[in-house]
Amino acid sequence: MLYPQRNVCRDLVDCSGLWRFRADPDGVGFTEGWSTGFESDMVCAVPGSWNEQLQEYGLMNYVGGAWYQMDIFVPVHFAGRTVRLRVGSADFQAKVWVNGTLVAENDILSLPFEAMVEDHIAPGNKARIVIWVSNALWPDAITPSVTLDTYVREERIRDEQFPATRPDFFPFGGIQRPVLLEAMNAVHIDDLTVTTEIDGTTGVVSAEAAVSAPDGTLFRVSLPGGEVAETAVWSGNAMVTLRIGNCRFWSMTDPHLHALKAELWQASLLADQYELNIGVREVKVVGKRLYLNGEPVFLRGFGKHEDFPVHGRAVNQPLMVKDFGLMKWIGANSFRTSHYPYAEDILDYADRTGVLVISELPSVNLDFRIVSDATLDHHRRTLDRQIARDKNHPSVIMWSVANEPGYLGEAEYKSDKTHAYWKAVCDHTRALDVTRPITMANVGRIGHDDPAFHYVDVISINRYYGWYDMPGQLDRAGARLKAELDAIAADHDKPIMVLEFGADTVAGLHSTTDQLFTEEYQADFIETYCRIIEAHPNAIGTHVWNFADFRTSQHHRRVVLNLKGVFTRTRDPKRAAFKLREMWAVPYRDPAAGEGK
Ligand code: GCB
């Protein structure tokens, strides 16, 4: 799935801006024909979440459908060309009409979808784009819905969150990434898959294309160093391999990108061109270690969120640049896109800056009492889309296929059905991408005999001893964490990643003794975890929860925000940030490597 681009063969129109907006809690828009156009005085900025943006219009906690409309001028030179409409993300479900014709429907969370629309537009005129978006989830989604009834039925009314959501982050709604119109020739490259290998000092680059082009069209790939390879298209496909001698491999310290140029030629006519920044690197799990280019790596970093005042979950480039600056300042080398795929801009920037990314699917708190074939189908289709979108990023080193399934500790989780589910999900992931390891974030309530551990390459656990359990008692918490790492290591010869651990902290609150919510406690908590994890021979990383405070649904245990950030929501450092900076200035020392010396 290629991000639209502007070059000698392609052009694009960015439809960002103020779209006409209308909430539709009762779904009347469908019967009243809003898909051809509707009246409203209200606007919503795209990309943007509607919640904080339209708080004063009653939209802060709104869960349901809403309509967006934009009349966009289609340039004259789009005439006679293939035109692709691409919506970067519209959470969580969407339908799109162009000049009154339904062109796309989407139920994949937080990922792009597209439609070819040349038959529905008249270049040289405006085209009306209408998008219906709903931020309501549904029971079979890979992040299942909850309602007030769910809490009542389960006799957990004190767990009710408003808006009702199981995940511990706000259900921002809206068109949160750009809407783009891209023009290209009828003969064009639909997709590129680039994989890289290291052969001594040589980089081996394979570029496989899916194309709309007749057999015999020339597919040509070149690199800035002068390497070129070409082949004839056959049956909509083409593949070439290039070798880069004395290759500068992509790494954390030298994130070198090669601008690969893929082209389609019909005799002497250039029909299409696509430029892709690639990094030559190899990721592997061997035994209990993770390797990048043959060197063991220890991940130090964070779970994050796309979250900021007013913007909500929308792509926010200044914030992105700031966050990467803070990660560099603190000494982090990696982050997880908890708990959904992030905007492409963020992955591009990670490619440029050498930050390693665990790319997580938008699957949170699967409930194995209600998981169905439809859920598995949704999981597989999401994997298809996410891997199609993110496969070419050198920064993406691992897929996390879910966060905290079995969250309620339901008995159904430890069953054959669950084994079959994770086997199917991991098999599907490997069928799509054999070049990256797979993980999944296990929840404390399921403990360390999680069926998923048998199918993933890296075992990941989220733990909160010293916070939700054993509050204020870091000695007990540390002993429990160590015992659990040992228990997992005894059962599985696999790397272990601690993907979450953290403590809510009110910036400015202090205490001379261990006290929840204080800056000292958060710093001590994180230090205790990091020291225990780094000393464990199976551990390959620590990801602190969370990089920054973030908005949640309303619940008595959250003071507007989840306060586990080491930075505030507006990015001021808490004491723990300085503690991490001090600890992460000291290089990781592999405890196993020290043996026998
Ligand atoms: C978790 C979840 C994360 C929450 C966090 C917390 O285990 O994965 O989404 O925000 O705990 O702070 O409770």
Side-chain angles (χ1 to χ4, degrees):
M1 195 173 205
L2 300 178
Y3 197 88
Q5 70 178 215
R6 183 177 279 141
N7 63 33
V8 66
C9 297
R10 294 176 178 229
D11 197 9
L12 58 82
V13 173
D14 185 345
C15 310
S16 299
L18 298 181
W19 288 53
R20 185 176 291 181
F21 179 88
R22 190 159 168 186
D24 184 16
D26 302 320
V28 296
F30 292 103
T31 46
E32 291 183 1
W34 295 7
S35 56
T36 54
F38 59 87
E39 294 304 317
S40 175
D41 299 336
M42 208 183 285
V43 295
C44 188
V46 171
S49 304
W50 64 56
N51 312 76
E52 292 182 43
Q53 207 183 140
L54 294 174
Q55 182 167 16
E56 287 64 41
Y57 297 84
L59 271 291
M60 182 65 216
N61 297 306
Y62 179 65
V63 174
W67 296 75
Y68 287 75
Q69 176 181 322
M70 177 67 114
D71 291 343
I72 196 97
F73 185 77
V74 183
V76 179
H77 67 268
F78 277 33
R81 311 195 76 202
T82 297
V83 179
R84 177 162 71 120
L85 173 68
R86 184 195 213 251
V87 180
S89 77
D91 280 320
F92 295 113
Q93 309 169 61
K95 292 179 198 281
V96 183
W97 293 262
V98 173
N99 287 332
T101 304
L102 179 68
V103 295
E105 291 186 73
N106 179 59
D107 70 347
I108 303 291
L109 320 179
S110 311
L111 281 163
F113 56 96
E114 48 192 40
M116 295 306 186
V117 298
E118 61 277 2
D119 294 342
H120 311 294
I121 54 173
N125 294 280
K126 285 189 172 175
R128 173 161 295 174
I129 306 176
V130 173
I131 305 183
W132 170 85
V133 187
S134 168
N135 62 339
L137 290 161
W138 58 100
D140 291 329
I142 55 172
T143 294
S145 57
V146 284
T147 61
L148 178 55
D149 284 354
T150 322
Y151 300 117
V152 173
R153 206 176 48 242
E154 295 176 350
E155 297 181 359
R156 295 188 304 113
I157 45 172
R158 287 203 172 169
D159 287 343
E160 181 187 355
Q161 300 188 43
F162 177 68
T165 168
R166 188 150 283 158
D168 181 36
F169 56 90
F170 199 83
F172 287 110
I175 305 175
Q176 304 181 124
R177 294 180 194 147
V179 179
L180 302 168
L181 268 181
E182 185 191 35
M184 52 198 151
N185 290 326
V187 171
H188 61 261
I189 302 168
D190 289 302
D191 195 19
L192 277 173
T193 307
V194 173
T195 49
T196 62
E197 274 171 63
I198 293 178
D199 179 10
T201 57
T202 301
V204 184
V205 178
S206 304
E208 194 177 348
V211 299
S212 296
D215 290 352
T217 305
L218 193 74
F219 175 61
R220 184 171 195 270
V221 176
S222 57
L223 288 164
E227 300 83 356
V228 185
E230 45 189 46
T231 188
V233 167
W234 176 249
S235 213
N237 292 294
M239 183 174 161
V240 295
T241 301
L242 298 96
R243 294 177 70 84
I244 310 175
N246 281 325
C247 185
R248 247 173 102 182
F249 300 124
W250 187 93
S251 68
M252 292 186 281
T253 47
D254 182 20
H256 183 73
L257 297 172
H258 307 256
L260 177 146
K261 207 176 270 177
E263 292 170 339
L264 289 177
W265 287 86
Q266 294 192 298
S268 58
L269 193 77
L270 177 63
D272 196 18
Q273 186 181 82
Y274 194 87
E275 197 172 289
L276 188 68
N277 283 325
I278 63 152
V280 181
R281 57 106 182 94
E282 247 181 31
V283 181
K284 279 208 170 97
V285 165
V286 182
K288 24 182 199 280
R289 286 280 162 257
L290 171 71
Y291 294 87
L292 179 67
N293 304 342
E295 296 287 323
V297 207
F298 191 87
L299 302 174
R300 285 168 164 175
F302 297 95
K304 287 182 95 261
H305 265 295
E306 288 183 306
D307 173 279
F308 202 64
V310 188
H311 285 72
R313 178 133 307 128
V315 57
N316 181 337
Q317 290 191 341
L319 179 71
M320 172 187 86
V321 174
K322 169 85 179 168
D323 280 4
F324 276 74
L326 288 173
M327 284 193 276
K328 189 176 162 53
W329 172 85
I330 208 168
N333 60 15
S334 53
F335 66 93
R336 171 175 57 134
T337 69
S338 41
H339 295 310
Y340 38 80
Y342 292 177
E344 290 93 329
D345 307 48
I346 296 176
L347 301 182
D348 287 342
Y349 203 59
D351 293 344
R352 278 170 72 160
T353 51
V355 175
L356 306 179
V357 179
I358 299 177
S359 173
E360 185 156 277
L361 266 73
S363 174
V364 190
N365 302 153
L366 273 176
D367 177 346
F368 274 76
R369 295 167 306 177
I370 59 167
V371 156
S372 66
D373 289 347
T375 319
L376 180 57
D377 175 60
H378 196 226
H379 222 130
R380 287 196 177 112
R381 289 187 296 116
T382 305
L383 278 162
D384 293 343
R385 186 84 56 85
Q386 186 153 342
I387 294 179
R389 194 197 73 161
D390 295 349
K391 63 189 170 187
N392 294 324
H393 288 281
S395 58
V396 174
I397 54 152
M398 207 183 296
W399 304 114
S400 166
V401 293
N403 182 65
E404 301 199 341
Y407 167 78
L408 293 171
E410 63 269 15
E412 290 79 354
Y413 190 76
K414 300 214 173 145
S415 67
D416 292 347
K417 175 183 169 187
T418 314
H419 274 274
Y421 191 92
W422 293 123
K423 181 172 185 319
V425 166
C426 293
D427 284 352
H428 194 72
T429 312
R430 289 188 184 101
L432 294 166
D433 180 17
V434 284
T435 69
R436 291 176 178 89
I438 304 171
T439 195
M440 190 224 56
N442 149 281
V443 64
R445 272 197 204 142
I446 291 299
H448 55 262
D449 58 344
D450 188 324
F453 288 177
H454 296 275
Y455 308 103
V456 295
D457 302 300
V458 172
I459 291 179
S460 287
I461 59 171
N462 298 349
R463 290 298 180 268
Y464 288 91
Y465 305 125
W467 185 256
Y468 295 120
D469 312 295
M470 309 167 203
Q473 303 154 76
L474 289 177
D475 288 349
R476 277 179 70 204
R480 183 79 174 83
L481 173 71
K482 180 166 182 325
E484 201 162 16
L485 291 172
D486 288 344
I488 297 171
D491 288 347
H492 302 274
D493 185 32
K494 293 185 180 183
I496 308 172
M497 173 83 200
V498 184
L499 262 190
E500 277 184 33
F501 55 98
D504 285 76
T505 303
V506 180
L509 208 60
H510 300 285
S511 171
T512 54
T513 56
D514 284 347
Q515 173 64 55
L516 300 190
F517 294 104
T518 61
E519 293 202 31
E520 289 74 17
Y521 189 72
Q522 183 188 37
D524 290 351
F525 180 107
I526 289 173
E527 182 177 8
T528 303
Y529 270 69
C530 286
R531 299 224 182 278
I532 290 169
I533 299 162
E534 293 209 359
H536 200 280
N538 281 57
I540 58 151
T542 50
H543 274 184
V544 175
W545 189 256
N546 188 283
F547 177 74
D549 297 344
F550 58 91
R551 191 180 268 282
T552 65
S553 286
Q554 298 187 53
H555 188 264
H556 55 78
R557 68 175 183 162
R558 299 281 177 253
V559 188
V560 185
L561 308 175
N562 180 314
L563 293 170
K564 294 193 184 71
V566 305
F567 298 101
T568 63
R569 197 181 188 206
T570 47
R571 280 31 182 186
D572 294 326
K574 300 180 190 171
R575 179 181 284 241
F578 296 96
K579 172 51 76 182
L580 279 168
R581 185 167 192 253
E582 188 189 302
M583 285 194 299
W584 286 348
V586 181
Y588 165 76
R589 194 170 164 279
D590 188 338
E595 277 166 22
K597 281 194 185 155

